[in-house]
């Protein structure tokens, strides 16, 4: 049994039952080991949550940076940022559910660190929208409200999307990206 297997089992159970609704004994049961054996792979259940949230939030930021790097036009930046963010929520649903529901269960200082990283993503998205307004590419009253609407819309994908449904993650991502461009009143140019 690897550390990754322990994290994966915890991720599945946290997504299904919540962090507080999952006991270490349940993680051990899924892995078909005795509960004390888990301590060879982790220090605590909290450490598992911290790993899941940290890896996910850092992954979102890395995705955002890769999607926007080298792009100067705010419309192009927003398009690729939302395409990547919405696709991530269709392909990493368990992680999205855990981060959005259970980050508040982290102890300090981990909770504040993760919240700061999440705010960094929100501010970066808001900045793109503000730049688009300044250059006449977007027509929206509030970059903060538009950013919030776009992020919440994308986060919701994790709650409803299923792999066996009629649409692919790429189709969802493209459609949600078009919704985002509508939210900001995008203008081609």
């Amino acid at each position: 049994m690897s550390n990754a297997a322990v994290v994966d089992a915890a991720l599945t159970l946290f997504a299904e039952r919540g962090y507080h609704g999952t006991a270490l004994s349940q993680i051990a049961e899924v892995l078909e080991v005795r509960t004390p054996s888990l301590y060879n792979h982790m220090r605590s259940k909290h450490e598992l949550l911290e790993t899941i949230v940290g890896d996910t939030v850092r992954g979102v930021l890395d995705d955002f940076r890769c999607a926007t790097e080298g792009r100067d036009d705010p419309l192009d930046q927003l398009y690729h940022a939302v395409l990547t963010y919405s696709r991530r929520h269709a392909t990493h649903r368990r992680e999205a559910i855990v981060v959005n529901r259970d980050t508040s269960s982290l102890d300090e200082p981990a909770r504040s660190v993760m919240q700061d990283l999440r705010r960094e993503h929100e501010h970066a998205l808001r900045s793109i929208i503000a730049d688009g307004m300044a250059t006449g590419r977007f027509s929206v009253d509030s970059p903060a409200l538009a950013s919030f609407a776009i992020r919440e819309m994308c986060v919701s994908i994790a709650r409803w999307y299923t792999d066996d449904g009629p649409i692919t993650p790429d189709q969802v991502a493209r459609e949600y990206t078009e919704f985002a461009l509508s939210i900001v009143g995008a203008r081609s140019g």
Side-chain angles (χ1 to χ4, degrees), residues 84-123:
T84 301
Y85 192 56
S86 54
R87 184 183 299 118
R88 175 178 263 280
H89 282 82
T91 59
H92 294 79
R93 293 184 316 279
R94 297 178 305 164
E95 294 88 338
I97 289 167
V98 171
V99 166
N100 287 294
R101 183 187 53 221
D102 294 322
T103 296
S104 62
S105 296
L106 289 171
D107 295 336
E108 291 296 350
R111 179 177 42 232
S112 290
V113 169
M114 292 305 112
Q115 294 293 26
D116 287 347
L117 291 173
R118 293 176 82 189
R119 267 190 293 281
E120 182 180 333
H121 177 248
E122 191 280 324
H123 287 218

Side-chain angles (χ1 to χ4, degrees), residues 56-71 77 80-82 84-85 88 116-122 124-125 128:
T56 302
V57 171
R58 287 181 187 94
V60 166
L61 278 171
D62 289 346
D63 284 355
F64 177 86
R65 290 179 187 123
C66 288
T68 59
E69 187 177 0
R71 301 181 193 283
Q77 289 176 330
H80 287 91
V82 175
T84 301
Y85 192 56
R88 175 178 263 280
D116 287 347
L117 291 173
R118 293 176 82 189
R119 267 190 293 281
E120 182 180 333
H121 177 248
E122 191 280 324
L125 189 63
I128 289 172

Side-chain angles (χ1 to χ4, degrees), residues 40-60:
N40 295 322
H41 303 279
M42 49 132 226
R43 288 190 299 268
S44 65
K45 184 173 89 165
H46 183 268
E47 181 188 61
L48 291 172
L49 180 62
E50 194 172 331
T51 297
I52 291 164
V53 172
D55 289 351
T56 302
V57 171
R58 287 181 187 94
V60 166

Side-chain angles (χ1 to χ4, degrees), residues 16-35:
E16 290 172 0
R17 303 172 184 185
Y19 171 72
H20 291 295
T22 302
L24 282 177
S25 60
Q26 293 169 315
I27 297 169
E29 183 180 323
V30 166
L31 294 167
E32 298 178 345
V33 298
R34 295 182 55 227
T35 303

Side-chain angles (χ1 to χ4, degrees), residues 6 17-18 20 24 37 69 98 114 127 131 160 172 180 184:
V6 174
R17 303 172 184 185
H20 291 295
L24 282 177
S37 299
E69 187 177 0
V98 171
M114 292 305 112
S127 178
D131 289 348
W160 65 262
V172 170
V184 298

